[in-house]
Amino acid sequence: MKIVLLGPPGSGKGTQAELICSKYNLPHISTGDIFRSNIANKTQLGLKVKQYIDSGSLVPDELTISIVKDRLSQDDCKNGFVLDGFPRVLNQAKQLDSFVKIDKAIMIDLSDDEIINRLSKRRMCKKCSNPTHLDWLVDGKCEKCGGEVYIRNDDSPETIKARLEKQKLPQDVIDFYVEKGLFVKINSLSTKQETFIEVDKILKSLVK
Ligand code: AP5
Ligand code: MG
């Protein structure tokens, strides 16, 4: 099961990826998580990408594509993966297609107003990287693992606005997957479990 999750910032890609990966025992590959861990560890890559992420811009393809290619070539991806937040532009979609054939491109969609509402209350778990929500915390900690939570740097009101302006999923990426018969769109307006039921219907159709 080789899945890509597309969609605007904050639409619920990471949340659905976690649910898919735990049900189907797949690796969750999030380009955003890879960049954030490099920034936290002050690696060369982290130093290069920080300015783009903090300003709500896309990281250039030359830094992004090779990371995904390397990660997908690792053993744990042989039988499948969930790629969260990649591709975001047509060049990334074409490059990905040149090194792996995916089974489904699922767009997790949501209105800008609801995205702003959710991102302004998002909390991230330091321990398990779970994207969670202020209202879901248990005693101020991650409801999944009890870890400490933090607010992402790019979840400030100004950066959320910049991300929504600069990072709308381009139509040509959607068209690329529509033409291959791989594209499905799900709205994540309902609860995360209800949204997952819709996502899972698509996944079940892939399992032989
Ligand atoms: P990335 O980390 O991927 O950020 P993003 O695309 O902005 O998406 P988010 O992670 O903010 O949102 P999400 O869709 O995962 O939503 P989540 O599940 O957390 O990328 C960060 C940056 O890295 C980018 O800005 C860019 O600079 C760079 N980058 C990454 N990939 C790149 C690429 N391919 N090319 C170039 N640059 C790249 O949910 C959001 C909130 O809603 C959470 O609080 C969650 O708990 C809550 N929530 C989720 N579902 C529901 C629900 N059903 N009901 C209520 N609340 C919900
Ligand atoms: Mg995410």
Side-chain angles (χ1 to χ4, degrees):
M1 204 185 266
K2 294 175 177 157
I3 307 293
V4 302
L5 293 184
L6 312 166
S11 63
K13 302 180 295 295
T15 301
Q16 293 303 315
E18 289 290 326
L19 293 169
I20 299 169
C21 291
S22 90
K23 172 157 184 186
Y24 292 96
N25 196 23
L26 295 169
H28 173 191
I29 299 158
S30 154
T31 39
D33 285 347
I34 295 173
F35 291 144
R36 279 185 290 279
S37 115
N38 275 273
I39 291 172
N41 293 320
K42 297 191 166 59
T43 66
Q44 287 283 347
L45 176 69
L47 294 173
K48 283 183 192 159
V49 301
K50 188 175 181 342
Q51 53 173 319
Y52 299 103
I53 295 184
D54 286 353
S55 64
S57 305
L58 286 177
V59 172
D61 284 358
E62 57 269 28
L63 296 174
T64 308
I65 293 169
S66 57
I67 289 165
V68 172
K69 192 173 181 183
D70 286 353
R71 183 62 188 89
L72 295 185
S73 69
Q74 290 173 19
D75 270 0
D76 64 332
C77 294
K78 266 189 193 139
N79 296 324
F81 52 80
V82 176
L83 194 46
D84 157 11
F86 184 100
R88 295 193 196 214
V89 292
L90 185 60
N91 182 44
Q92 293 181 3
K94 287 181 173 170
Q95 293 291 325
L96 177 66
D97 189 56
S98 73
F99 52 81
V100 69
K101 296 296 169 213
I102 66 141
D103 299 309
K104 220 50 160 184
I106 305 174
M107 177 174 176
I108 310 290
D109 203 13
L110 197 63
S111 69
D112 283 6
D113 284 350
E114 187 57 28
I115 287 171
I116 292 165
N117 180 30
R118 286 186 188 176
L119 288 186
S120 56
K121 292 185 179 167
R122 175 164 59 186
R123 298 294 181 270
M124 298 293 292
C125 178
K126 282 184 186 169
K127 202 168 156 193
C128 72
S129 300
N130 179 37
T132 184
H133 191 279
L134 191 56
D135 300 340
W136 302 346
L137 303 180
V138 177
D139 296 331
K141 305 263 174 74
C142 171
E143 81 283 8
K144 203 170 136 193
C145 76
E148 297 282 338
V149 296
Y150 69 98
I151 300 176
R152 265 172 52 173
N153 259 357
D154 58 350
D155 278 347
S156 66
E158 310 75 51
T159 315
I160 293 171
K161 190 165 169 274
R163 288 157 66 200
L164 286 174
E165 281 167 10
K166 296 177 190 177
Q167 297 195 35
K168 197 173 159 55
L169 184 69
Q171 186 61 39
D172 56 9
V173 174
I174 296 173
D175 293 344
F176 180 84
Y177 289 115
V178 168
E179 279 161 25
K180 290 182 178 295
L182 299 175
F183 182 79
V184 192
K185 182 156 95 174
I186 301 274
N187 197 299
S188 90
L189 194 56
S190 46
T191 66
K192 67 177 183 178
Q193 287 82 6
E194 283 164 351
T195 304
F196 181 64
I197 290 171
E198 295 307 308
V199 171
D200 202 25
K201 279 182 195 161
I202 298 163
L203 303 177
K204 282 176 181 157
S205 73
L206 298 174
V207 181
K208 289 175 194 113

